[in-house]
Amino acid sequence: MTSSSDRIFSASSSQITTSFNKGNVNTHLEDKMSASVAVYRNIYTEDRFRQSYGTEDKPRGGGQRFREKITERCRCSRAACLHLLRERIPIFNWLPKYRLKKWMLGDTIAGLTVGILHIPQGTFAVVSLMTGSVVEQLVPTPLQLNSSSPEAADFEAQRIGVASAVALLSGIMMLCMFGLQLGFLSTYLSEPIVKAFTSAAAFHVTISQLQSMLGLRLPRHTGPFSLFKTLASVIENLPQTNMAELLTSLVCLAILVPVKEVNMRFRQYLRTPIPVEILTVIIATGVAYASSLDSNYDVQIVGHIPAGFPSPRMPALHKLPEVAGDTVAITFVGYAVSVSLAMIYADKHGYSIQPNQELLAHGISNTVSSLFTCFPSSATLATTNILESSGGFTQLSGLFTSLVVLIVLLLIGPLFYFLPKAVLACINVTSLRQMFLQFQDLPDLWRVSKIDFVVWLVTWLSVVVLNVDMGLAIGVVFSMMTVICRTQRAGCSVLGRASNTEIYRPLENHNKCYEVPGVKILTYNGPIYYGNRSFFREDMSRLLGLTPERIRSREKARKALEKREREAVSTVERGVANTSFSSENEFFKSETAESEVQAVLIDCSSVIFVDVAGARLFIQMCIECQKVGVCIYLANCNESVLRILTSSGLMNYMNPQHIFVTVHDAVMYIQQQKEQTPENTTTVWV
């Protein structure tokens, strides 16, 4: 029960005074935290509060509002043009802030390192394998083909045309997604999905590099279980390992791993990380040339690199319908990898990304590059890690990377002829260190959220076991299903009041709070929609005791009472006292006293939205509560929820003045009404 100082009512003015007394404290800090608070104000329903503090909306049609938005977006000004320029061409945003002395050396070394790695191989191994699978399906390799024959050149041109067609269609898809502002789809890539996806993709990349590290010449495997097929093929062919390439790989790993560890541990003391990748490439190329590793020990080398800038050439446009299905998967995998890596490093270095800008950048890149015999591009795990670990700070490093590739194409390509492929494989594998270190986050993830841990595990297993595209789709769908399941089982709680305060908390977690006599305060911790309306109804019925039997019994008693009232009025009109009315009235009162609950207050503060099915359920609950003589009150409804409930006709079944701004306002009003209501007359006299 509350004390006399807990609440003061004024029946005529509907005002509340609530005072919170300062408790005993032991420390100065606690004394500050428990200072007294006194509140004196009116009781606010939603209508009254809106009249006092709401914004007056001018009645405008939907077409007028739409025209105003279009006009505002299309209005041109110098500030708007500058903002658009900086947003769409990021160099104008970060270049004026560039710190030359601090960042130039790191950007240069990182750009040169990545540029050298780009010379002999493509970008992301998984996207490359997916593109190669499409090319192989449409232009299969003949069993016997003379590489020097004219047919070989025509065959190569066909394959390049198909790969370029995939790049063109992928670029167009990304530009269309940018036009539709579909970058928000990246929000469905939760942190567990991103980290599990990149870790699993790192396994695919590592397994794909094993044959180069061991000197094996094996066919490529794509589709579900491709990782296990590749691994089984490597194990089966281990006796054919080229010992020279194995030794080369071991030496490279012995150099790369310790130096990269030094770069990581002493990064704050180094002005720029040690460029171990560049040094390894230069030394390995020199050793391979001096020792003739390719001819003496059959070591696989990069070989001939085409010189000169490729001339523009149209992709195989007639193949676009045939590659459309596979291109959709390639597009989404490439975008997911790029955005995932961007999220990881944005979180690590404390900046934000724009997913729509990523769509624009990749869309333009793929569309333009497809005219120069290129296949789809995306961010890649290995080179992104190399760029960051080599000291890259800004996008200027990309300029140095591009310059290296351009110079190699035009001038010095032959110098990398003797570069062993095993060296490149070792550089790629060691650069995936950070992706594998994400396993260290699993114990913390299990402790914080077991559901997110399961999402991580399902995504990782799906990507590893099935494939990158299918695994990513399964991870996203499973993650969304966990959200749906959590909203379906949000749970309904009974709230109690903390003594001498206007704070209401669930009784299941706060046993010192008490229920307000005669009022059942309920809260639902989620939206109310078609997917969980049955669970919400079940919880409400259980907590209120709204069983079908009780509803029928109370409705029958109410109808009997109404009949007796009509008979009593008729008797009074004839001048005769009805003494039997008293017993029926007392019966109805005793039923109400037994249930104790005369009012139900629903706290809607956690109800973020309601659909049509949920609104109809509210109406049904109102009707059932009225049948048992219980009034329904609402509190803390947001604007959208209140608008949907009102539009659905809820106000036809409950008093609009029974919707309050806060739970405490509603409780004060209910208790005030109880004190104002006189006792019912038990006998009618004539």
Side-chain angles (χ1 to χ4, degrees), residues 22 59 95 97 134 138 177 179 189 211 251 270 296 313 337-338 391 428 517 549 553 583:
K22 178 174 67 177
L95 188 60
K97 308 172 186 176
V134 177
L138 297 181
M177 292 170 66
L189 298 176
Q211 55 182 329
V251 171
L270 299 173
N296 293 335
R313 182 168 136 194
V337 170
S338 302
N428 282 332
E549 294 78 12
S553 172
S583 61

Side-chain angles (χ1 to χ4, degrees), residues 192-229:
I193 291 178
V194 167
K195 292 189 174 181
F197 173 68
T198 52
S199 297
F203 268 87
H204 279 274
V205 174
T206 301
I207 297 300
S208 68
Q209 299 297 317
L210 285 180
Q211 55 182 329
S212 296
M213 296 173 66
L214 299 175
L216 301 175
R217 293 165 175 81
L218 305 175
R220 293 181 178 180
H221 298 279
T222 58
F225 310 105
S226 59
L227 184 144
F228 299 101
K229 293 176 183 177

Side-chain angles (χ1 to χ4, degrees), residues 406-552:
L406 182 62
I407 292 172
V408 169
L409 285 175
L410 299 178
L411 300 174
I412 63 172
L415 295 180
F416 293 95
Y417 181 91
F418 290 97
L419 176 60
K421 290 184 178 181
V423 175
L424 296 172
C426 292
I427 292 175
N428 282 332
V429 170
T430 55
S431 298
L432 297 173
R433 173 181 179 272
Q434 185 170 342
M435 298 297 105
F436 292 120
L437 287 179
Q438 292 179 130
F439 283 95
Q440 296 178 351
D441 300 335
L442 289 181
D444 291 336
L445 190 61
W446 172 264
R447 188 181 69 255
V448 174
S449 173
K450 293 178 175 57
I451 293 179
D452 286 340
F453 177 87
V454 174
V455 170
W456 196 103
L457 193 61
V458 169
T459 304
W460 189 87
L461 288 175
S462 301
V463 174
V464 168
V465 174
L466 299 177
N467 207 348
V468 175
D469 50 349
M470 293 178 61
L472 178 62
I474 291 174
V476 171
V477 171
F478 182 79
S479 178
M480 295 176 67
M481 289 299 297
T482 62
V483 174
I484 294 173
C485 291
R486 278 185 275 190
T487 60
Q488 284 186 323
R489 293 291 188 178
C492 191
S493 303
V494 178
L495 299 184
R497 182 181 177 186
S499 181
N500 297 329
T501 71
E502 60 175 4
I503 299 172
Y504 297 82
R505 290 291 183 268
L507 290 173
E508 57 191 12
N509 300 323
H510 304 81
N511 57 8
K512 294 183 180 179
C513 294
Y514 65 91
E515 283 196 75
V516 178
V519 183
K520 182 74 74 173
I521 308 174
L522 305 176
T523 183
Y524 192 73
N525 302 313
I528 302 173
Y529 65 110
Y530 70 94
N532 67 352
R533 64 188 301 269
S534 59
F535 300 109
F536 173 70
R537 176 185 174 83
E538 180 183 334
D539 289 343
M540 291 282 289
S541 300
R542 175 177 52 82
L543 294 173
L544 296 177
L546 293 178
T547 61
E549 294 78 12
R550 187 190 173 203
I551 294 175
R552 286 194 297 268

Side-chain angles (χ1 to χ4, degrees), residues 224-496:
F225 310 105
S226 59
L227 184 144
F228 299 101
K229 293 176 183 177
T230 303
L231 188 59
S233 181
V234 169
I235 295 174
E236 184 181 355
N237 289 273
L238 278 178
Q240 283 76 44
T241 298
N242 187 315
M243 299 308 296
E245 295 199 62
L246 176 60
L247 182 61
T248 301
S249 299
L250 293 175
V251 171
C252 288
L253 291 175
I255 296 173
L256 290 168
V257 172
V259 175
K260 292 175 88 60
E261 189 67 24
V262 170
N263 284 341
M264 184 64 63
R265 290 181 178 271
F266 301 98
R267 186 170 186 176
Q268 64 272 23
Y269 304 108
L270 299 173
R271 183 177 179 182
T272 184
I274 301 171
V276 63
E277 290 89 358
I278 291 181
L279 296 176
T280 303
V281 167
I282 294 174
I283 294 173
T285 303
V287 171
Y289 172 74
S291 305
S292 299
L293 293 179
D294 58 325
S295 57
N296 293 335
Y297 301 99
D298 196 25
V299 172
Q300 298 181 62
I301 58 175
V302 170
H304 175 68
I305 298 177
F309 198 83
S311 57
R313 182 168 136 194
M314 286 299 294
L317 299 180
H318 63 283
K319 294 288 187 180
L320 290 180
E322 300 178 60
V323 302
D326 293 304
T327 303
V328 171
I330 292 172
T331 300
F332 278 100
V333 168
Y335 177 63
V337 170
S338 302
V339 172
S340 298
L341 288 172
M343 288 178 175
I344 290 174
Y345 288 102
D347 183 63
K348 181 178 180 180
H349 296 285
Y351 61 88
S352 60
I353 65 168
Q354 297 183 14
N356 283 315
Q357 183 67 17
E358 298 290 327
L359 284 172
L360 177 63
H362 284 287
I364 294 176
S365 174
N366 283 331
T367 303
V368 175
S369 63
S370 68
L371 304 177
F372 295 91
T373 65
C374 294
F375 64 90
S377 63
S378 72
T380 170
L381 280 68
T383 52
T384 303
N385 281 289
I386 292 171
L387 184 70
E388 193 259 351
S389 62
S390 299
F393 287 98
T394 69
Q395 293 177 344
L396 189 64
S397 58
L399 175 63
F400 294 107
T401 298
S402 303
L403 289 176
V404 169
V405 176
L406 182 62
I407 292 172
V408 169
L409 285 175
L410 299 178
L411 300 174
I412 63 172
L415 295 180
F416 293 95
Y417 181 91
F418 290 97
L419 176 60
K421 290 184 178 181
V423 175
L424 296 172
C426 292
I427 292 175
N428 282 332
V429 170
T430 55
S431 298
L432 297 173
R433 173 181 179 272
Q434 185 170 342
M435 298 297 105
F436 292 120
L437 287 179
Q438 292 179 130
F439 283 95
Q440 296 178 351
D441 300 335
L442 289 181
D444 291 336
L445 190 61
W446 172 264
R447 188 181 69 255
V448 174
S449 173
K450 293 178 175 57
I451 293 179
D452 286 340
F453 177 87
V454 174
V455 170
W456 196 103
L457 193 61
V458 169
T459 304
W460 189 87
L461 288 175
S462 301
V463 174
V464 168
V465 174
L466 299 177
N467 207 348
V468 175
D469 50 349
M470 293 178 61
L472 178 62
I474 291 174
V476 171
V477 171
F478 182 79
S479 178
M480 295 176 67
M481 289 299 297
T482 62
V483 174
I484 294 173
C485 291
R486 278 185 275 190
T487 60
Q488 284 186 323
R489 293 291 188 178
C492 191
S493 303
V494 178
L495 299 184

